[in-house]
Structures are given as structure tokens and as C-alpha cells.
């Protein structure tokens, strides 16, 4: 399946140097993400079988935004552990954190790893592959995060490309100003199929008591934020 990664490297036209809008979205929801972790996450349950918290960042690209999100989430999880639910077992030490940075196989993982903050308080791994399918073993992820990535479709709906279809999109790549509703419906139907695959995969991978946070731009400026418990 074709994938279209963000511009690689850290040069003038790279994603790394041209992702301020996505950073604004991350900053705009930070307090909400912290709040839901502190109020809702069942850290006792997720730490009942291991002292390592497994986090995945789905659609991470090359940074630096992903590092900002991950640092923030790790800090919120630490605070939750230290101050809210003190402590499950006082002999246990602060949990360790393992972050799985996921993106399409064509993503520039080399740049991502070169830009990893040296003072990070987590272990880092790369997981290549589409988040529309399985990426992890069953019940192995405690926290999943995905920011400005789930609106990417897995493919172009084929009826948009067929000249004799009512949904033919005349070579355009979006439905802004679409001349008929069939075009919009084709995009919506593909998004629904993609999200079903996405949710089915995460339902297998996330542990009971785990959490997933999805952040997505909506109508340009409004931010749509969803929290899911497992
Ligand atoms: C706009 S970037 C967002 C990157 C980062 N989350 C941020 O906030 O800066 C969207 C990313 O989603 C990735 N992506 C799109 N579809 C994907 C899929 N099916 N599986 C994994 N990653 C995907 C793209 O390759 C791209 O790196």
C-alpha cells in the first residue's frame, strides 16, 4: 500500500522545521490530556502485572512535536503515580517508561532517532507499519496517543478515480467545494472503514484499564479530542 511520509531530514522544507501548526494543537490540548490522566487513568490496574509503562505514539513523524507530547505524557503519568495513587506498594520504585514511536515504514526514522532528547526519561523504540493494522502483541500497551494523524486515509477511495462513477473527483485530492455529495460520501465511507480497523487493532493491543488519546484537527481550528478507556 502506498504511503506518503512527511518531508524527511531537518532541512528548510522538512516536517521537523515546518510543523508549528501541529505543535499548536499539541500545546492546546496539553492540560486536557494531563487532566484526564490524573482524573481517570487506573494506574493501579495497569501496573498490576509490570513496573514498566508501555506507551505508543501513533503517527509520530520525525519530531520534535512527538517528543514534546511524550515528555508531557510521561510527566503526567509520573505525577499520577507519585501524588494521586500513593503507592501501590511502597517497596516498588517509580515505573519505567518504554515509548514505541510508530509511523509508516517510509517515515524518516533515522532523523527521529537522531533528534531524540538526550535527557529523556524513557526508553525509545521504533515501530514501523500502518496503525490501521496490528502493531503490537495482545494486551501489551498501557497508553496510546495519536495527534493530527488519524485523519489520514489508508487509500484513495477507488470510485473517486473512476471517470464513469458519480463520485469521480476529476483528479482533485480533497472534497473542498465538491460538486456532488457522492464525493464527500466516498471519503466518509473510507474514513469509517479505516477507523474500524484502527479501533479493532487497538482493542486487542491495549491492556484492560489502559487509555488512548486521539487528537485531531476539525474544521481548521476547532480541536476534536477523544479519550478511550479499555
Ligand atoms: C501531520 S503528521 C503528525 C506527526 C506528529 N504526530 C505531530 O504531531 O507532529 C501525520 C503523521 O501520520 C503518519 N501516518 C499517516 N497514516 C499513518 C498510518 N496508517 N500508520 C502510521 N502512521 C501514519 C504520517 O506518515 C505522518 O508522519
Amino acid at each position: 500500500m502506498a504511503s506518503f511520509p512527511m518531508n524527511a531530514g531537518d532541512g528548510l522544507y522538512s516536517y521537523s522545521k515546518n510543523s508549528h501548526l501541529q505543535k499548536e494543537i499539541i500545546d492546546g490540548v496539553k492540560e486536557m490530556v494531563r487532566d484526564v490522566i490524573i482524573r481517570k487513568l487506573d494506574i493501579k490496574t495497569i501496573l498490576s502485572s509490570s513496573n514498566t509503562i508501555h506507551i505508543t505514539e501513533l503517527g509520530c513523524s520525525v519530531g520534535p512535536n512527538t517528543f514534546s507530547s511524550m515528555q508531557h505524557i510521561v510527566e503526567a503519568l509520573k505525577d499520577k503515580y507519585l501524588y494521586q495513587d500513593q503507592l501501590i506498594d511502597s517497596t516498588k520504585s517509580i515505573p519505567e517508561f518504554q515509548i514505541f514511536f510508530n509511523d509508516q515504514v517510509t517515515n524518516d526514522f533515522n532523523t527521529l532517532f537522531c533528534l531524540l532528547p538526550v535527557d529523556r526519561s524513557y526508553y525509545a523504540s521504533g515501530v514501523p507499519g500502518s496503525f490501521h493494522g496490528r502493531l503490537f502483541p495482545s494486551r501489551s500497551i498501557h497508553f496510546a496517543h495519536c495527534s493530527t494523524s488519524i485523519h489520514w486515509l489508508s487509500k484513495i477511495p477507488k470510485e473517486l478515480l473512476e471517470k464513469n462513477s458519480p463520485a469521480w473527483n476529476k483528479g482533485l485530492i480533497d472534497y473542498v467545494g465538491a460538486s456532488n455529495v457522492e464525493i464527500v460520501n466516498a471519503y466518509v465511507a473510507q474514513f469509517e472503514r479505516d477507523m474500524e480497523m484502527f479501533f479493532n487493532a487497538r482493542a486487542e493491543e491495549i491492556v484492560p484499564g489502559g487509555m488512548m488519546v486521539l487528537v485531531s484537527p476539525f474544521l481548521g481550528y476547532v480541536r476534536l479530542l477523544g479519550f478511550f478507556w479499555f
Side-chain angles (χ1 to χ4, degrees):
M1 195 172 290
S3 71
F4 302 93
M6 307 274 77
N7 274 356
D10 61 354
L12 189 58
Y13 300 113
S14 62
Y15 182 76
S16 160
K17 293 263 162 59
N18 293 278
S19 47
H20 311 293
L21 180 62
Q22 291 84 346
K23 176 71 163 61
E24 273 181 36
I25 292 172
I26 289 167
D27 289 344
V29 300
K30 265 186 173 167
E31 279 316 304
M32 279 191 269
V33 174
R34 180 180 169 81
D35 187 58
V36 78
I37 288 173
I38 300 292
R39 284 193 304 112
K40 302 281 186 192
L41 188 68
D42 184 356
I43 206 146
K44 281 184 190 158
T45 301
I46 68 173
L47 284 175
S48 58
S49 57
S50 157
N51 204 37
T52 303
I53 296 186
H54 294 155
I55 302 168
T56 182
E57 167 80 324
L58 301 163
C60 60
S61 193
V62 295
N65 294 349
T66 189
F67 305 131
S68 169
S69 302
M70 291 302 99
Q71 189 56 37
H72 181 69
I73 286 168
V74 166
E75 278 164 19
L77 289 168
K78 273 187 191 161
D79 289 348
K80 168 75 179 178
Y81 181 78
L82 286 174
Y83 306 119
Q84 300 283 310
D85 280 357
Q86 285 232 356
L87 286 180
I88 305 132
D89 170 354
S90 56
T91 59
K92 269 193 166 179
S93 51
I94 289 184
E96 296 184 296
F97 295 88
Q98 168 99 52
I99 297 187
F100 299 101
F101 290 94
N102 156 260
D103 209 293
Q104 301 275 23
V105 294
T106 49
N107 184 55
D108 183 2
F109 282 99
N110 278 342
T111 296
L112 175 80
F113 294 143
C114 289
L115 296 177
L116 272 169
V118 282
D119 59 348
R120 66 189 180 277
S121 57
Y122 52 81
Y123 296 95
S125 315
V127 174
S130 171
F131 53 48
H132 292 125
R134 286 290 299 274
L135 295 166
F136 303 101
S138 299
R139 302 191 183 291
S140 63
I141 297 296
H142 301 107
F143 194 96
H145 179 259
C146 183
S147 184
T148 57
S149 302
I150 48 164
H151 58 293
W152 287 53
L153 299 183
S154 64
K155 60 181 175 203
I156 305 170
K158 66 175 180 347
E159 55 272 43
L160 296 175
L161 304 172
E162 294 166 350
K163 278 196 174 172
N164 55 355
S165 155
W168 182 45
N169 205 15
K170 305 178 186 73
L172 301 176
I173 60 164
D174 60 42
Y175 57 76
V176 176
S179 52
N180 71 49
V181 72
E182 314 287 343
I183 295 171
V184 178
N185 288 347
Y187 279 109
V188 170
Q190 185 61 50
F191 183 66
E192 286 175 353
R193 286 192 290 273
D194 287 349
M195 289 311 291
E196 188 174 352
M197 291 190 289
F198 180 93
F199 281 122
N200 283 339
R202 303 299 84 76
E204 293 294 326
E205 295 167 351
I206 297 178
V207 300
M211 182 178 274
M212 176 163 71
V213 171
L214 304 180
V215 182
S216 188
F218 183 61
L219 295 181
Y221 297 100
V222 184
R223 284 113 199 200
L224 179 70
L225 189 63
F227 300 108
F228 303 85
W229 293 269
F230 290 76

